[in-house]
């Protein structure tokens, strides 16, 4: 079949099945009986020009394709980023943990024991400083808070170091109004 023939209106008419075979002879008889209505088909012929234009447009679309005028999107960046898709927040049906995890570092775990070496005693007398072995995972604010709660004293500052044997040593300097000797006596170091 020729491509030009495919686009013509007559081809589409041939391809369409007849509407009703029984009514077709009756319609032919009516046209023969009424010659006065010969002007009416002339008026219907006028839209046939529009139909042929439609057929021409359909032919053009078949030959050229309908997506010929699409333009490529202008890209302003040399990087390609995946598009942001919808990410819904989690709505669990039940909690995965029955209760929040309890902190394993409480005051008595943080401060393990006071040091009673000669150098520690010297620090108590000269620098108003107590020396403790503390948990290695604890930090300075936790050590300060634990000493204040355990011995009800005011702490000025805390210095820490990790000894070669892997234990953490904390030098807890007490405030000027608290005496380290009294606290050491109360603990039972001296």
């Amino acid at each position: 079949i020729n491509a030009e023939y495919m686009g013509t209106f007559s081809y589409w008419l041939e391809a369409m099945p007849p509407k009703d075979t029984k009514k077709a002879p009756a319609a032919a008889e009516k046209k023969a009986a009424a010659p006065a209505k010969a002007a009416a088909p002339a008026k219907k012929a006028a839209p046939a020009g529009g139909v042929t234009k439609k057929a021409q447009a359909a032919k053009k679309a078949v030959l050229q394709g309908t997506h010929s005028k699409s333009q490529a999107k202008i890209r302003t960046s040399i990087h390609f980023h995946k598009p942001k898709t919808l990410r819904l927040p989690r709505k669990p049906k039940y909690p995965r943990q029955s209760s929040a995890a309890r902190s394993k570092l409480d005051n008595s775990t943080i401060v393990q024991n006071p040091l009673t070496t000669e150098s520690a005693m010297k620090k108590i007398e000269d620098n108003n400083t107590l020396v403790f072995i503390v948990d290695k995972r604890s930090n300075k604010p936790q050590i300060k808070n634990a000493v204040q709660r355990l011995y009800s004293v005011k702490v000025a500052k805390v210095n820490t170091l990790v000894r070669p044997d892997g234990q953490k040593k904390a030098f807890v300097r007490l405030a000027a109004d608290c005496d380290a000797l009294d606290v050491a006596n109360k603990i039972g170091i001296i």
Side-chain angles (χ1 to χ4, degrees), residues 8 29 47 52 107 109 115 160 183 190:
T8 59
E29 288 174 9
T52 55
N107 295 338
T109 311
L115 261 185
T160 59
V183 176
I190 299 174

Side-chain angles (χ1 to χ4, degrees), residues 10 12 18 23 43 69 75-76 109 132 144 154 157:
S10 59
W12 298 110
K23 291 183 180 178
K43 285 181 182 175
K69 291 184 180 176
R75 299 192 63 83
T76 55
T109 311
F132 294 98
K144 179 178 179 179
K154 217 173 185 183
K157 74 177 210 171

Side-chain angles (χ1 to χ4, degrees), residues 23-38:
K23 291 183 180 178
E29 288 174 9
K30 283 184 182 178
K31 284 184 181 177
K37 290 186 179 178

Side-chain angles (χ1 to χ4, degrees), residues 20-90:
D20 197 1
T21 53
K22 293 178 183 176
K23 291 183 180 178
E29 288 174 9
K30 283 184 182 178
K31 284 184 181 177
K37 290 186 179 178
K43 285 181 182 175
K44 284 186 179 178
V51 172
T52 55
K53 282 182 184 175
K54 273 189 178 178
Q56 292 294 329
K59 174 187 173 184
K60 192 176 180 185
V62 166
L63 293 173
Q64 287 185 345
T66 52
H67 299 293
S68 60
K69 291 184 180 176
S70 64
Q71 287 183 331
K73 182 183 171 186
I74 297 169
R75 299 192 63 83
T76 55
S77 170
I78 60 168
H79 303 288
F80 180 80
H81 297 288
K82 267 198 311 184
K84 295 269 190 293
T85 56
L86 178 66
R87 287 183 180 172
L88 295 171
R90 289 185 174 186

